[in-house]
Amino acid sequence: MATPLTDQEKRKQISIRGIVGVENVAELKKGFNRHLHFTLVKDRNIATPRDYYFALAHTVRDHLVGRWIRTQQYYYEVDPKRVYYLSLEFYMGRTLQNTMINLGLQNACDEAIYQLGLDMEDLEEMEEDAGLGNGGLGRLAACFLDSMATLGLAAYGYGIRYEYGIFNQKIRDGWQVEEADDWLRHGNPWEKSRPEYMLPVHFYGRVEESKEGSKWVDTQVVLAMPYDTPIPGFMNNTVNTMRLWSAKAPNDFNLRDFNVGDYIEAVLDRNLAENISRVLYPNDNFFEGKELRLKQEYFVVAATLQDIIRRFKTTKKGTTARTSFQSFPEKVAVQLNDTHPAMAIPELMRIFVDIEKLDWDTAWDLTKRTFAYTNHTVLPEALERWPVELLETLLPRHLQIIYQINQIHLDSIASLFPGDMDRLRRMSLIEEDGGKRVNMAHLCILGSHAVNGVAQIHSDIIKTSVFRDFSELEPDKFQNKTNGITPRRWLLLCNPGLAELIAEVIGEDYVKDLSQLQKLNLLVDNEAFIRDVFKVKQDNKEKFAQYLEKEYRVQINPASMFDVHVKRIHEYKRQLLNCLHIVTMYNRIKKNPTAPFVPRTIIIGGKAAPGYHMAKMIIKLITAVGDVVNNDPVVGNKLKVIYLENYRVSLAEKVIPATDLSEQISTAGTEASGTGNMKFMLNGALTIGTMDGANVEMAEEAGEENLFIFGMRVEDVAALDDKGYDAMVYYKRNPELKQVMDQIKSGYFNPKNPDLFKDVTDMLFKYDRFKVFADFDDYVKAQEKVSQLYQKPKEWTKMVIKNIAASGKFSSDRTISDYAREVWGVEPTDLKIPPPNEPREAIEETVRAMKKM
């Protein structure tokens, strides 16, 4: 039996995880049993663990519904400006625990499930991740939804309900193998389909000109069926909506086609239309110009804009429906998450001009004031450039509109810079070199009133290099909005031990105001607090070690330093640099087995895009090195290499709290921001990293001396480019690097096939855009400093505390507050919507109170 809680422990539990009232627990148990019986049609004799998960999920969902309806009623009464976050990806992960935390139900649910003789963690593990994203961009969208609800914004996430999310990764014989992610197989208790709001989306066809204007005719129609998921704010009774569209064929699909005599064939062909929402494209930071992908991009945009306009026109009863669009930008803000939803710009123009009959200039003014664009990458291979001939076939009217936007734009540039043909070429929406293409980033910049990067260094690079011509023309359009993470999922949910320790010493308000973590600076020298922080980390490491043993049957030493590198596999993220360091440490142990060595467990994880050959070879190299290192008796327990299979949101929640050292080692100027870096910092890991992305601001907040910063800065990389990067110079200069490369080249790590890694070594020597060798020496030296500090647990933990205390800036609440005020023109509020158990009149009172504010 657990020891009874002290009053202090009860207080801290109440603070963060909600109150355990007797009636509360009884009601949850009743709800659980009711759903097991009536929803799942099972009794306790035949129910499976999955049935229990579903019964609990439905019970928790019941507590959302009243607040969800109440929130929408409230928005209807107040008619606030609404924010629409358009994204092709929402990497949500699991929903159950996050919902319990945000509703303050976690403790009551824990107690109810315990009384029912079940294990809460076992139930939570039954839930599938909603893997509707690739990495940073999709997870950012998910964190933003949480913050928008917590800040009381009338916000909506709009995207696609992919039937298959990001693939499941299996490592077989050291190679990545992909399996389909059939995440909806057992149903999704968190979504509600809304067939009554189904909308048509048009493709193909042709444009008919008449004196009334242009008309897009003879199109093929696909229906967009909305599925709504509730997004609860933290303890404020706000529940916003994420609406994801699913493609459905109309019932007469292919059947009105008189040439299809085959009814069966026609019905089978419905799959073609419905393929639009079948699968997430698994590329991160890479553009693949496929027709199906363009269909997905237009599909989400066309359905969403119809929905936005319907909501704009429907006003409160007793007032007339809106017929004028003059106030549209005062009531609607649309944020484009990268260029993926860029077709929203010509689509809104088409609606305004062709359907609503506005004149071009008015329509363009309204469009620009409505949209804002977030850029997520400066890598040239990631920028979307759609072939004109594809657009001409699929979306002929939109291509005409893009041409017209471009013509007016180029005329304006030509008048400002007469005779500057090169500038016209650089700034055009249409690129001519090697087949005509539409540069979607240029379209987004022209069609938006605000453009932002996602960390200060990235926003500076955008202004001074990638989009320099545009920022010189409209400097006020360009902003920075440094990314953030939600502290609800990335501290309370994943690291309850640390969250409660912090609440004990500074109170629980930090959960909604993360800047309060600064107060921890007062405790940097407090012996008891240092001990407690160290113990929380140790507990998390032991828990993760147990998880690895249970799931993967690998044994690791929880006393060793957990050195973790988890993110998508990409050359620019330089997993190879880490790999070279592993071999260097291995060689040092082999050379002098009795020399002191700080034990390390190196954990590398992440998915490679299925078509990205080099990334897959990098995984194979890491696993091959791991096989040699882990089975060498001379190495023993000093060094272990683990490849973490199928890295995803729910696995990040386990590994991040257990990490000692966070690897953030991209070539300076390539990682736009990164958000994993912030999660590790908040959870008490120290960072080894380059001055790239948000690492720069992390060093600014915590003090550079409290991170292990190494390597070239952006200016050094540029200078090296000008001079010409020659890998051979570093290879010849550094004996350890030479030894490592010779081993990989000679087949030391794969004697059966010595040439296996030729593509990798050739790249590193001949065409490494990311200059791995140039930073090798400095990286190894920084890693030696890491090992030295790790031998002094007290000093290490003090540095950890300074990092946690400095992580407040990186809350997505701060990011969203900045977007709200500086881009969307709305004000965050800590107003609590009246809960469902209060009468509807309470809403009117709140509305009146709000108007007085």
Side-chain angles (χ1 to χ4, degrees):
M1 279 253 322
T3 51
L5 295 177
T6 65
D7 285 347
Q8 188 192 17
E9 284 175 316
K10 280 183 193 147
R11 267 202 307 282
K12 86 180 178 199
Q13 281 211 318
I14 284 168
S15 63
I16 300 195
R17 295 160 79 96
I19 297 157
V20 188
V22 179
E23 51 302 307
N24 219 342
V25 173
E27 188 201 348
L28 287 165
K29 284 163 71 179
K30 202 169 126 189
F32 180 92
N33 287 322
R34 184 171 52 83
H35 278 296
L36 193 62
H37 188 85
F38 288 105
T39 310
L40 296 158
V41 197
K42 292 277 183 93
D43 64 26
R44 291 291 297 259
N45 299 313
I46 57 160
T48 64
R50 177 167 287 106
D51 292 321
Y52 294 136
Y53 156 69
F54 274 108
L56 178 58
H58 279 106
T59 307
V60 171
R61 180 176 164 275
D62 289 345
H63 288 257
L64 272 173
V65 169
R67 292 174 173 93
W68 197 6
I69 292 170
R70 186 47 70 95
T71 301
Q72 304 313 313
Q73 287 172 346
Y74 176 71
Y75 293 155
Y76 184 72
E77 297 286 335
V78 179
D79 192 29
K81 183 172 185 177
R82 287 166 160 91
V83 173
Y84 297 98
Y85 198 83
L86 259 64
S87 182
L88 268 281
E89 303 185 18
F90 288 94
Y91 203 172
M92 302 295 284
R94 292 172 176 164
T95 296
L96 174 61
Q97 199 184 350
N98 185 249
T99 305
M100 293 190 296
I101 286 171
N102 280 11
L103 294 184
L105 283 174
Q106 176 135 45
N107 271 332
C109 287
D110 281 348
E111 181 60 28
I113 292 302
Y114 172 75
Q115 289 183 17
L116 288 162
L118 298 166
D119 183 284
M120 180 59 98
E121 259 183 49
D122 291 347
L123 300 195
E124 285 167 351
E125 284 298 311
M126 294 306 305
E127 183 173 0
E128 299 273 359
D129 278 49
L132 307 185
N134 277 285
L137 174 147
R139 183 54 232 175
L140 185 80
C143 283
F144 279 3
L145 293 181
D146 181 87
S147 285
M148 289 187 288
T150 296
L151 293 170
L153 302 182
Y156 303 76
Y158 272 95
I160 295 177
R161 180 181 178 267
Y162 300 106
E163 205 174 310
Y164 296 90
I166 187 65
F167 61 86
N168 285 314
Q169 178 195 55
K170 290 276 190 289
I171 303 294
R172 298 220 179 100
D173 192 24
W175 297 94
Q176 167 175 299
V177 178
E178 300 88 21
E179 288 182 355
D181 167 42
D182 190 7
W183 72 290
L184 293 168
R185 178 174 53 229
H186 302 288
N188 173 7
W190 305 107
E191 69 182 7
K192 175 71 184 83
S193 67
R194 300 278 187 202
E196 67 275 23
Y197 291 118
M198 192 137 60
L199 295 167
V201 176
H202 299 261
F203 294 101
Y204 303 108
R206 57 189 177 82
V207 181
E208 221 168 52
E209 306 290 353
S210 70
K211 56 181 182 299
E212 279 87 58
S214 303
K215 213 172 162 197
W216 185 19
V217 297
D218 297 340
T219 56
Q220 292 183 22
V221 176
V222 177
L223 300 176
M225 161 95 84
Y227 286 79
D228 290 352
T229 298
I231 307 291
F234 180 72
M235 300 292 286
N236 66 348
N237 294 331
T238 295
V239 181
N240 284 342
T241 301
M242 174 177 67
R243 175 162 284 182
L244 302 180
W245 301 102
S246 183
K248 293 280 288 171
N251 284 333
D252 61 356
F253 184 78
N254 269 6
L255 287 166
R256 11 158 225 200
D257 250 348
F258 55 88
N259 59 350
V260 178
D262 192 340
Y263 161 75
I264 298 290
E265 206 58 29
V267 173
L268 297 184
D269 278 349
R270 293 169 61 84
N271 272 323
L272 301 173
E274 296 174 358
N275 276 339
I276 291 175
S277 55
R278 194 81 65 201
V279 60
L280 168 75
Y281 272 84
N283 303 316
D284 189 73
N285 275 297
F286 183 76
F287 170 60
E288 185 178 5
K290 293 280 199 286
E291 180 177 23
L292 181 61
R293 170 67 173 193
L294 182 56
K295 277 185 174 168
Q296 289 182 340
E297 292 183 356
Y298 179 65
F299 175 75
V300 65
V301 149
T304 301
L305 283 173
Q306 290 179 72
D307 222 27
I308 290 173
I309 286 166
R310 173 189 58 76
R311 205 173 279 121
F312 170 77
K313 286 182 173 178
T314 317
T315 53
K316 192 165 178 284
K317 287 186 186 70
T319 61
T320 52
R322 289 199 185 97
T323 48
S324 161
F325 282 94
Q326 281 316 305
S327 64
F328 193 74
E330 277 78 65
K331 285 293 178 189
V332 174
V334 180
Q335 191 68 32
L336 305 173
N337 194 25
D338 216 309
T339 57
H340 311 150
M343 289 307 294
I345 292 167
E347 172 66 5
L348 188 59
M349 284 298 286
R350 184 186 72 82
I351 294 168
F352 282 162
V353 174
D354 294 1
I355 298 169
E356 302 292 346
K357 302 299 181 194
L358 273 56
D359 68 271
W360 180 276
D361 290 347
T362 303
W364 184 239
D365 174 64
L366 295 175
T367 296
K368 278 180 74 152
R369 286 164 53 211
T370 299
F371 288 113
Y373 157 56
T374 302
N375 172 275
H376 281 273
T377 181
V378 295
L379 293 182
E381 63 267 37
L383 296 176
E384 292 197 295
R385 300 175 161 97
W386 286 106
V388 161
E389 97 192 288
L390 178 54
L391 280 163
E392 204 162 27
T393 313
L394 193 68
L395 301 167
R397 179 58 183 140
H398 297 76
L399 182 62
Q400 286 185 350
I401 290 167
I402 288 167
Y403 274 139
Q404 193 169 343
I405 292 168
N406 197 37
Q407 189 58 58
I408 296 166
H409 162 61
L410 291 181
D411 289 347
S412 143
I413 301 297
S415 68
L416 289 168
F417 305 93
D420 192 343
M421 296 310 289
D422 200 47
R423 184 180 296 264
L424 286 177
R425 183 189 56 74
R426 290 197 311 267
M427 295 186 77
S428 177
L429 298 192
I430 313 294
E431 296 178 354
E432 304 278 357
D433 48 315
K436 280 192 176 182
R437 294 177 170 268
V438 179
N439 182 315
M440 302 309 274
H442 290 183
L443 176 60
C444 285
I445 293 167
L446 279 191
S448 298
H449 68 276
V451 174
N452 72 280
V454 290
Q456 192 61 59
I457 186 177
H458 170 233
S459 297
D460 292 343
I461 289 169
I462 279 177
K463 280 187 280 204
T464 55
S465 87
V466 196
F467 303 136
R468 183 178 168 180
D469 294 318
F470 292 92
S471 78
E472 282 172 358
L473 205 60
E474 301 184 273
D476 295 346
K477 182 182 274 194
F478 289 79
Q479 305 187 16
N480 173 58
K481 296 285 170 280
T482 300
N483 284 161
I485 58 172
T486 171
R488 273 72 63 182
R489 184 175 294 269
W490 298 113
L491 184 56
L492 268 68
L493 182 154
C494 71
N495 202 342
L498 183 58
E500 285 177 11
L501 173 58
I502 293 169
E504 221 171 280
V505 294
I506 66 169
E508 71 271 5
D509 289 353
Y510 76 89
V511 177
K512 286 185 93 155
D513 174 15
L514 209 61
S515 66
Q516 292 192 25
L517 291 178
Q518 286 166 353
K519 296 175 185 171
L520 295 176
N521 279 317
L522 300 172
L523 294 159
V524 166
D525 296 311
N526 181 308
E527 299 285 341
F529 188 65
I530 293 168
R531 260 199 321 275
D532 289 342
V533 170
F534 181 83
K535 183 178 186 312
V536 164
K537 178 62 72 179
Q538 215 42 52
D539 291 347
N540 290 339
K541 288 172 72 174
E542 278 166 23
K543 189 174 181 190
F544 187 66
Q546 284 166 15
Y547 171 81
L548 283 184
E549 193 167 353
K550 182 169 151 270
E551 293 296 315
Y552 301 102
R553 285 177 293 288
V554 283
Q555 284 194 309
I556 57 174
N557 170 17
S560 66
M561 183 202 308
F562 285 12
D563 172 346
V564 179
H565 199 178
V566 286
K567 52 188 71 243
R568 284 298 289 255
I569 309 298
H570 203 298
E571 288 159 86
Y572 86 84
K573 294 178 186 281
R574 298 203 296 192
Q575 282 91 356
L576 278 172
L577 181 56
N578 191 346
C579 192
L580 299 187
H581 176 245
I582 296 172
V583 181
T584 304
M585 287 190 292
Y586 171 73
N587 289 336
R588 287 181 181 183
I589 294 169
K590 294 286 280 184
K591 187 177 174 186
N592 192 350
T594 57
F597 186 87
V598 180
R600 286 200 192 211
T601 301
I602 296 165
I603 299 170
I604 302 178
K607 293 174 184 179
Y612 190 175
H613 169 70
M614 189 59 69
K616 290 184 147 183
M617 289 310 303
I618 291 168
I619 292 175
K620 178 60 178 170
L621 177 60
I622 293 164
T623 55
V625 167
D627 284 343
V628 170
V629 171
N630 296 344
N631 294 300
D632 192 321
V634 176
V635 175
N637 248 352
K638 293 177 182 168
L639 190 59
K640 284 275 175 273
V641 181
I642 307 289
Y643 199 91
L644 202 55
E645 184 178 88
N646 203 30
Y647 182 63
R648 59 199 185 279
V649 175
S650 58
L651 191 47
E653 290 163 6
K654 295 179 173 71
V655 69
I656 291 171
T659 299
D660 292 307
L661 185 68
S662 158
E663 301 267 356
Q664 309 295 335
I665 60 179
S666 53
T667 311
T670 63
E671 187 73 89
S673 166
T675 45
N677 46 5
M678 304 167 186
K679 291 162 194 166
F680 285 108
M681 182 187 197
L682 180 60
N683 281 278
L686 297 184
T687 301
I688 184 165
T690 50
M691 278 298 209
D692 197 21
N695 296 358
V696 177
E697 289 159 79
M698 287 163 52
E700 221 169 86
E701 296 292 303
E704 204 173 314
E705 70 281 5
N706 293 309
L707 284 78
F708 300 95
I709 297 290
F710 73 93
M712 297 178 289
R713 312 302 205 249
V714 168
E715 311 76 60
D716 304 320
V717 174
L720 188 51
D721 277 327
D722 291 341
K723 190 180 102 180
Y725 169 67
D726 180 3
M728 222 52 194
V729 173
Y730 304 92
Y731 169 79
K732 287 173 178 161
R733 191 192 299 162
N734 188 317
E736 286 195 301
L737 175 59
K738 183 176 188 303
Q739 184 190 359
V740 171
M741 290 308 299
D742 290 349
Q743 285 168 301
I744 295 170
K745 275 199 302 189
S746 68
Y748 183 95
F749 296 104
N750 46 297
K752 287 181 183 160
N753 184 359
D755 284 339
L756 184 61
F757 299 116
K758 189 176 185 316
D759 288 350
V760 178
T761 54
D762 279 355
M763 180 271 290
L764 286 171
F765 280 113
K766 298 175 195 164
Y767 41 91
D768 177 12
R769 295 160 58 201
F770 304 106
K771 307 177 177 63
V772 170
F773 290 1
D775 277 342
F776 174 81
D777 191 49
D778 208 15
Y779 179 56
V780 172
K781 290 195 176 91
Q783 288 282 19
E784 285 164 8
K785 285 186 196 153
V786 171
S787 288
Q788 283 161 22
L789 189 65
Y790 195 74
Q791 288 174 287
K792 307 174 202 155
K794 189 171 155 188
E795 295 307 308
W796 179 278
T797 306
K798 281 183 168 190
M799 199 180 275
V800 163
I801 294 166
K802 289 177 191 171
N803 272 269
I804 297 170
S807 62
K809 174 182 179 177
F810 305 107
S811 168
S812 48
D813 296 346
R814 188 270 316 152
T815 311
I816 289 298
S817 297
D818 289 351
Y819 274 105
R821 297 186 176 110
E822 296 162 27
V823 179
W824 304 328
V826 293
E827 193 55 40
T829 169
D830 49 12
L831 192 91
K832 240 183 161 173
I833 294 174
N837 56 351
E838 289 182 24
R840 172 134 192 187
E841 294 77 65
I843 287 194
E844 273 104 66
E845 271 171 52
T846 311
V847 172
R848 281 195 293 278
M850 198 183 159
K851 285 179 176 156
K852 281 180 197 155
M853 277 159 72

